[in-house]
Amino acid sequence: MDLADAYRVAQRTPGLLRVQLPYGEPAWLVTRHHDARAVLADARFSRADAGRDAPRTTPVSPIGLVATDPPDHTRLRRPAARAFTPRRAEALRPRVREIAEDAVRRMTAAGAPADLVEHVALPVPIAVICELLGVPAEDRDRFRGWSDTVLSTSGAGPHDVLAATAALKEYMGDLLDRRRAEPADDLMTALLHAGDEDAPDGGASREELVELCVAILLGGYETTAAQLANFTWVLLTERPDALAELADRPDRARVWVEELLRYVPLAASASLPRYALEDVQVGGVKVRAGEPVLVAIGAADRDALRFPRPDRLEPDRDTSGHLAFGHGIHHCAGAALARIELQEGLTALARLLPGLRPAGDATWRPAAFLRGPATLPVRW
């Protein structure tokens, strides 16, 4: 999977580039790994845009944790950190494996050729995240529609995006109220309990918990679905030997997933600007107070200065420090679960579908916040 040529040019250009996204004000673009990690971890850069016309690819700016700074960010993230631990994620591995294998078996029963996106890549992560949140199975198609609208970069105008966001919030608010009255063994109940524990020092409000649940839903479903399809396509077209290896050695799924996370650029564009709170030197350029900076994660993870031979898939390389889940205080809270879903999804495909191969060309979503196949026809 190629990195856009424009990012290659940017990496070879001294300093930073000035860019203009479809919406919002101009920004500085960071493409090198060292600079990217520095910006993501530097408290002198703020994610709270304070009403600015933020550079973005979507008509409406993101909500929730991604657009907050400490102390609000710390207070709001705490319930997720307490409820969404790596240990809890690992305990879910058997259920994730069951969901992935069931999806693959249903696709097998439908017969080849089949669309892997529709049968596996989409239903697996939405089933996992909806089970975690306690969302009834009959409501999952509605969530998929809302998510597609919220994360669309064209075809859905500001009114559509706001309406879908409002629908998600209303549904999540009702579900939170039901969970408060009737607790269950799910993540939403755990978030409520964690939030209540914080109440003496200004815990998360109902509205903030609603936005947190929406962020978890969108982040936990859309990103993992896109990457499961992306990873499968990359292995089928670039490294078909990897699937045979995973069928024989499922323990290798961990290293393959880490390298694929580094290798596959997920975002359609650099996004989520950070505003300099004071003059800051980045890559030899003075970013002045109030100016936005965009970090191109996909480009940074293909930086040859950090990852030699960056355009080759090498599962045994040192992938530590890749930025697929971010870095610093905004590192993805659900990273542990996403890794498990990707590992188990690829392993289920490799083990249950020997000879898995493309049955035609993939089609790609023409306009979306995340890159990924719209359809991926396969046979086995």
Side-chain angles (χ1 to χ4, degrees), residues 274-295:
R274 285 156 170 82
Y275 283 85
L277 297 176
E278 59 186 71
D279 291 356
V280 184
Q281 287 284 333
V282 179
V285 169
K286 179 186 285 187
V287 178
R288 299 190 180 279
E291 291 184 331
V293 172
L294 294 166
V295 176

Side-chain angles (χ1 to χ4, degrees), residues 53 69 136 292 304 331 336 340 359:
D53 188 16
D69 293 327
H331 182 270
I340 288 170

Side-chain angles (χ1 to χ4, degrees), residues 7 21-23 56-60 117 122 144-156 161 218 221-223 225-227 230 265-271 363-375:
Y7 286 123
L21 295 189
Y23 303 92
R56 60 197 185 279
T57 55
T58 54
V60 180
V117 172
L122 287 173
R144 179 174 168 183
W146 290 330
S147 174
D148 289 346
T149 300
V150 171
L151 295 177
S152 173
T153 57
S154 72
V161 174
L218 296 179
Y221 155 54
E222 192 76 16
T223 55
Q227 286 296 57
N230 283 331
L266 175 60
S269 170
S271 59
T363 63
W364 298 84
R365 293 187 286 184
F369 185 75
L370 306 174
R371 298 187 354 161
T375 62

Side-chain angles (χ1 to χ4, degrees), residues 10-345:
Q11 285 180 330
R12 295 191 295 267
T13 302
L16 309 182
L17 290 184
R18 291 291 280 174
V19 296
Q20 175 70 62
L21 295 189
Y23 303 92
E25 60 188 307
W28 292 106
L29 179 67
V30 172
T31 59
R32 288 178 283 273
H33 189 271
H34 177 270
D35 296 336
R37 280 181 64 89
V39 169
L40 295 176
D42 195 330
R44 294 175 295 174
F45 286 98
S46 168
R47 276 293 300 121
D49 57 37
R52 299 283 294 270
D53 188 16
R56 60 197 185 279
T57 55
T58 54
V60 180
S61 293
I63 62 171
L65 278 174
V66 296
T68 58
D69 293 327
D72 284 342
H73 178 271
T74 306
R75 175 175 57 81
L76 296 175
R77 187 183 173 96
R78 194 177 300 138
R82 288 178 175 171
F84 216 25
T85 63
R87 179 179 295 180
R88 183 185 183 99
E90 190 60 41
L92 290 168
R93 186 182 289 274
R95 178 56 183 150
V96 173
R97 180 176 300 153
E98 182 180 4
I99 289 171
E101 291 180 350
D102 284 349
V104 172
R105 290 191 178 99
R106 284 194 296 271
M107 183 172 74
T108 304
D115 178 12
L116 187 135
V117 172
E118 187 64 28
H119 287 279
V120 180
L122 287 173
V124 169
I126 201 167
V128 171
I129 202 65
C130 285
E131 281 195 15
L132 267 179
L133 289 171
V135 174
E138 60 269 19
D139 291 339
R140 292 173 190 173
D141 285 344
R142 286 202 288 166
F143 275 96
R144 179 174 168 183
W146 290 330
S147 174
D148 289 346
T149 300
V150 171
L151 295 177
S152 173
T153 57
S154 72
H159 176 77
D160 297 323
V161 174
L162 289 172
T165 302
L168 268 174
K169 287 185 176 182
E170 181 179 4
Y171 183 93
M172 284 298 187
D174 290 343
L175 194 57
L176 273 168
D177 293 340
R178 293 204 299 272
R179 284 295 176 268
R180 191 177 290 280
E182 301 176 3
D185 183 19
D186 56 34
L187 181 63
M188 188 170 285
T189 302
L191 289 171
L192 281 168
H193 288 165
D196 289 342
E197 291 172 9
D198 293 333
D201 63 347
S205 67
R206 178 184 182 277
E207 181 179 355
E208 289 167 339
L209 283 174
V210 166
E211 291 197 351
L212 177 59
C213 288
V214 170
I216 289 172
L217 174 71
L218 296 179
Y221 155 54
E222 192 76 16
T223 55
T224 308
Q227 286 296 57
L228 184 52
N230 283 331
F231 290 4
T232 304
W233 176 251
V234 166
L235 293 184
L236 289 176
T237 56
E238 298 183 30
R239 290 294 301 270
D241 60 303
L243 290 172
E245 179 185 1
L246 288 174
D248 293 334
R249 295 190 54 192
D251 58 297
R252 293 281 290 170
R254 295 176 188 266
V255 294
W256 271 108
V257 164
E258 291 308 305
E259 172 65 346
L260 286 162
L261 284 166
R262 179 204 68 81
Y263 178 79
V264 176
L266 175 60
S269 170
S271 59
L272 305 180
R274 285 156 170 82
Y275 283 85
L277 297 176
E278 59 186 71
D279 291 356
V280 184
Q281 287 284 333
V282 179
V285 169
K286 179 186 285 187
V287 178
R288 299 190 180 279
E291 291 184 331
V293 172
L294 294 166
V295 176
I297 298 291
D301 279 343
R302 292 282 197 100
D303 183 355
L305 294 177
R306 171 59 187 87
F307 301 106
R309 303 172 301 282
D311 298 326
R312 290 176 53 180
L313 271 170
E314 298 180 0
D316 294 310
R317 76 161 76 236
D318 174 15
T319 57
S320 62
H322 75 66
L323 303 174
F325 292 113
H327 180 58
I329 64 170
H330 288 284
H331 182 270
C332 176
L337 180 61
R339 285 183 162 102
I340 288 170
E341 290 181 69
L342 293 167
Q343 292 162 11
E344 294 300 331

